[in-house]
Amino acid sequence: MGKPYVLYQTDIGANKMTGNYSEEMDAVKSDLVTLKSDLANLTKSVKADAQTNAAELRENASIKLKAAQKNAMEAGTKSREKAQLTIKKNPIASIAATAGLGLIVGALMARR
């Protein structure tokens, strides 16, 4: 046997690749090792980014929850103060409204 068997011949940019089977297999193996390493690095990077994003999302959710709790407390306080003011301004009407509400609730509970 004279010449080595040529598997393929291609031009890649300025480099011209030609070679025998074992040289090209070595190149493919080298490329696969590089690809494996790049994939591992990419996986680590994506994992780190995901953890960072998850921490940011947790922090944002915590801030929004605290703001919602504060708003609910403020709304409850304002409603209570408004009810107290209404009772002070109209004590007889407040007593009548409470009595009427008591009768309605009592009637509904008696039906059960």
Side-chain angles (χ1 to χ4, degrees):
M1 296 187 148
K3 288 180 151 183
Y5 181 75
V6 176
L7 187 60
Y8 63 86
Q9 181 176 1
T10 59
D11 287 328
I12 300 176
N15 300 329
K16 194 172 190 177
M17 292 183 60
T18 3
N20 63 28
Y21 176 76
S22 63
E23 289 174 349
E24 292 188 16
M25 283 304 295
D26 290 342
V28 169
K29 286 178 185 177
S30 174
D31 289 345
L32 286 175
V33 168
T34 302
L35 180 62
K36 182 179 177 183
S37 173
D38 290 348
L39 185 58
N41 290 337
L42 180 62
T43 302
K44 288 177 187 175
S45 176
V46 167
K47 181 180 177 184
D49 287 346
Q51 288 174 339
T52 300
N53 289 341
E56 289 175 8
L57 288 174
R58 276 192 299 273
E59 182 65 26
N60 289 340
S62 176
I63 290 169
K64 289 181 180 182
L65 176 63
K66 288 177 184 175
Q69 288 173 335
K70 182 180 176 185
N71 289 340
M73 290 294 290
E74 288 174 359
T77 301
K78 286 179 183 178
S79 296
R80 187 186 70 229
E81 290 171 354
K82 186 176 179 183
Q84 288 174 343
L85 183 61
T86 302
I87 291 170
K88 282 182 183 180
K89 286 183 176 181
N90 305 311
I92 296 177
S94 299
I95 292 172
T98 305
L101 184 60
L103 286 173
I104 293 171
V105 170
L108 290 174
M109 292 184 75
R111 285 186 170 184
R112 287 185 157 192

